[in-house]
Amino acid sequence: QITFGSIFLGKVPVHEEVHQCAGQIYGYKGCIRDFQVNHKELFIIDEALEGRNVENCNVPICDYHPCQNGGTCTSDEENWYCECPKIYTGKLCQFATCDENPCGNGATCFPKSRRDVVCLCPYGRSGILCSDAINITQPSFSGTDVFGYTSFLAYSTIPNITFYYEFRLKFQLANHHSALQDNLIFFTGQKGQGLNGDDFLELGLRNGRVVYSYNLGSGTATIMSKPLDLTLNIHVIHLGRNLQKGWLKVDDQKNKTVTAPGRLVGLNVFSQFYLGGYREYTPGLLPKGPRFKNGFQGCIFDVQVRTSLNQEFKSPGTPEGHPNSGRSVGQCKDSPCSLIKCRNGGKCIETGSTVYCDCLTGWKGAFCTETVSVCEPEHDPPHLCQQGSTCVPLPNGYTCHCPLGTTGTYCEQG
């Protein structure tokens, strides 16, 4: 409603002359965002002259319907989860369940087939069943694996970065093209899910350049470096922010600066500090805008932060340098496949500390030592017994045992 040359959102102040219905003034109840007049976008909070009874709008993530396969989403103001039907598992109920989970030490079980599983190892563990302890001094990340998970480390929330911070780190890229395309280096956010309007801090790689972004609540500021010099084996990043002004220096490139839009000056983030990737299965839950589709591919080390010019740099985590959790993170230059021998033409696959055998057609098992029966669902080509009949393997093929009321070679006739 426009009154006396002003624009009012939600409800006109009671001292103005407004139309009343049965003695009651009715105002808008709900959320308003992305407010634009003609071609000018107005920052609802920053550019307001006055207001009353207005608070931040936290849209429950369940409104985005993230659960798959009939899962039910449940959330409160801080957390959410999917209640999955019995045959499904995963953060989003996206996987068929792991029956009789053999994985150890809190590993994530993923069904490679109806009979075999892959164990996605937690921080500090490796091996087929994640039973081997490993010492990690220079973390190695493998990006997004074939199952859709990223390797990551999660550290405790970095305190006191509201008005000032500096980060220093080094990284070494994996030796393939995809490591430069769309890859997250680190992220921390207000709620952790990065819904619209959340404060966040993010660093990554896109098309061979380093991208540094932050949002103080009134718009995203972004700095993009020049293309990386790929003749360098190790790259060095130094970045920071003081109130609205941010800066980024990469290798020997010139320092670049940016100023955040709007009037807000504080970065309010409460989630863990994610390095190399993210806990979530889908990057769709990270901030919109400069969203990265993949995790980091290579090694990240010597990560340090300080929140005052008078402080010494130190490693993130509590205690210092220790992550709270992680997944599929290995030791740089180590190869878990050096300890695994896949049989019968199987290929060893490693993603960080996670390792498994990818078997040729006709073989199964952790080391590809078991044959696939002609009657098993994994057999290629599949058997032709019709639904409801029983496939019985024979020395030279198979036969179909038909249920009552059907006949034929494959029980295809009534």
Side-chain angles (χ1 to χ4, degrees):
Q1 180 170 348
I2 301 178
T3 307
F4 304 120
S6 299
I7 299 176
F8 296 100
L9 284 181
K11 184 175 181 180
V12 178
V14 294
H15 60 270
E16 305 291 357
E17 294 183 6
V18 296
H19 176 70
Q20 297 190 29
C21 178
Q24 181 68 38
I25 300 176
Y26 291 92
Y28 177 72
K29 184 177 181 181
C31 302
I32 300 175
R33 67 175 68 191
D34 299 331
F35 180 45
Q36 183 172 309
V37 178
N38 294 329
H39 298 291
K40 181 181 179 182
E41 182 179 359
L42 300 179
F43 295 105
I44 295 176
I45 299 299
D46 285 3
E47 299 189 33
L49 299 179
E50 61 177 307
R52 182 169 60 246
N53 298 331
V54 178
E55 59 185 18
N56 192 41
C57 182
N58 294 319
V59 179
I61 198 166
C62 286
D63 289 358
Y64 289 76
H65 305 293
C67 304
Q68 303 173 19
N69 296 309
T72 302
C73 187
T74 302
S75 70
D76 53 29
E77 292 182 358
E78 297 295 331
N79 302 300
W80 67 278
Y81 62 93
C82 295
E83 296 180 4
C84 303
K86 288 184 178 180
I87 63 171
Y88 292 101
T89 187
K91 177 78 172 181
L92 307 179
C93 307
Q94 69 273 31
F95 305 129
T97 188
C98 280
D99 297 326
E100 299 179 3
N101 180 5
C103 303
N105 298 297
T108 300
C109 179
F110 183 89
K112 185 172 65 170
S113 69
R114 296 190 185 184
R115 300 293 179 90
D116 292 338
V117 303
V118 172
C119 301
L120 308 183
C121 295
Y123 176 72
R125 291 286 174 173
S126 185
I128 291 287
L129 300 178
C130 304
S131 55
D132 303 328
I134 57 172
N135 182 36
I136 298 176
T137 57
Q138 293 187 348
S140 172
F141 303 88
S142 55
T144 306
D145 61 28
V146 295
F147 311 113
Y149 283 105
T150 58
S151 55
F152 77 92
L153 290 177
Y155 295 86
S156 56
T157 303
I158 299 176
N160 305 320
I161 64 172
T162 304
F163 301 113
Y164 182 92
Y165 58 73
E166 283 185 74
F167 285 89
R168 296 192 306 201
L169 61 89
K170 299 175 183 178
F171 67 86
Q172 188 173 16
L173 292 168
N175 188 25
H176 47 82
H177 182 66
S178 63
L180 286 165
Q181 295 310 301
D182 205 2
N183 306 80
L184 180 71
I185 297 176
F186 70 59
F187 162 77
T188 184
Q190 189 172 56
K191 291 289 185 182
Q193 286 94 23
L195 299 177
N196 285 344
D198 281 359
D199 291 22
F200 68 84
L201 165 63
E202 191 172 44
L203 181 71
L205 296 168
R206 179 168 288 122
N207 298 325
R209 302 168 185 259
V210 175
V211 181
Y212 162 42
S213 298
Y214 58 92
N215 189 340
L216 307 180
S218 53
T220 300
T222 299
I223 304 176
M224 184 176 293
S225 76
K226 292 181 179 180
L228 291 173
D229 180 357
L230 299 183
T231 64
L232 297 176
N233 185 40
I234 295 176
H235 300 276
V236 180
I237 294 179
H238 191 186
L239 63 87
R241 181 188 64 86
N242 183 21
L243 301 178
Q244 290 180 307
K245 187 174 181 179
W247 53 269
L248 170 70
K249 181 169 176 55
V250 177
D251 296 331
D252 293 329
Q253 299 180 16
K254 290 184 178 180
N255 189 61
K256 300 183 76 171
T257 63
V258 70
T259 301
R263 300 178 183 176
L264 298 180
V265 297
L267 177 70
N268 300 300
V269 294
F270 315 114
S271 77
Q272 297 184 98
F273 178 74
Y274 290 97
L275 185 68
Y278 36 85
R279 182 185 303 278
E280 306 294 349
Y281 171 72
T282 168
L285 302 178
L286 287 175
K288 294 186 177 179
R291 178 183 291 163
F292 296 95
K293 299 178 181 178
N294 198 0
F296 187 79
Q297 298 174 43
C299 303
I300 303 175
F301 45 94
D302 295 346
V303 181
Q304 294 183 314
V305 61
R306 68 177 180 181
T307 56
S308 169
L309 277 171
N310 301 322
Q311 285 183 346
E312 296 291 327
F313 279 94
K314 66 178 185 178
S315 300
T318 305
E320 182 180 346
H322 291 264
N324 293 340
S325 61
R327 178 177 57 225
S328 297
V329 175
Q331 169 67 3
C332 194
K333 299 181 180 179
D334 281 1
S335 173
C337 278
S338 64
L339 305 175
I340 301 297
K341 187 172 183 180
C342 304
R343 306 289 182 174
N344 299 304
K347 181 181 179 182
C348 183
I349 305 295
E350 58 184 37
T351 56
S353 61
T354 293
V355 60
Y356 64 95
C357 291
D358 188 20
C359 303
L360 292 178
T361 300
W363 297 95
K364 65 178 182 176
F367 299 98
C368 306
T369 55
E370 305 170 42
T371 58
V372 177
S373 165
V374 67
C375 287
E376 292 185 68
E378 294 84 4
H379 191 271
D380 186 16
H383 67 78
L384 299 178
C385 297
Q386 297 296 304
Q387 188 172 7
S389 61
T390 302
C391 177
V392 179
L394 299 175
N396 295 310
Y398 65 94
T399 187
C400 301
H401 286 186
C402 302
L404 185 66
T406 63
T407 187
T409 303
Y410 305 116
C411 309
E412 74 279 10
Q413 301 176 17

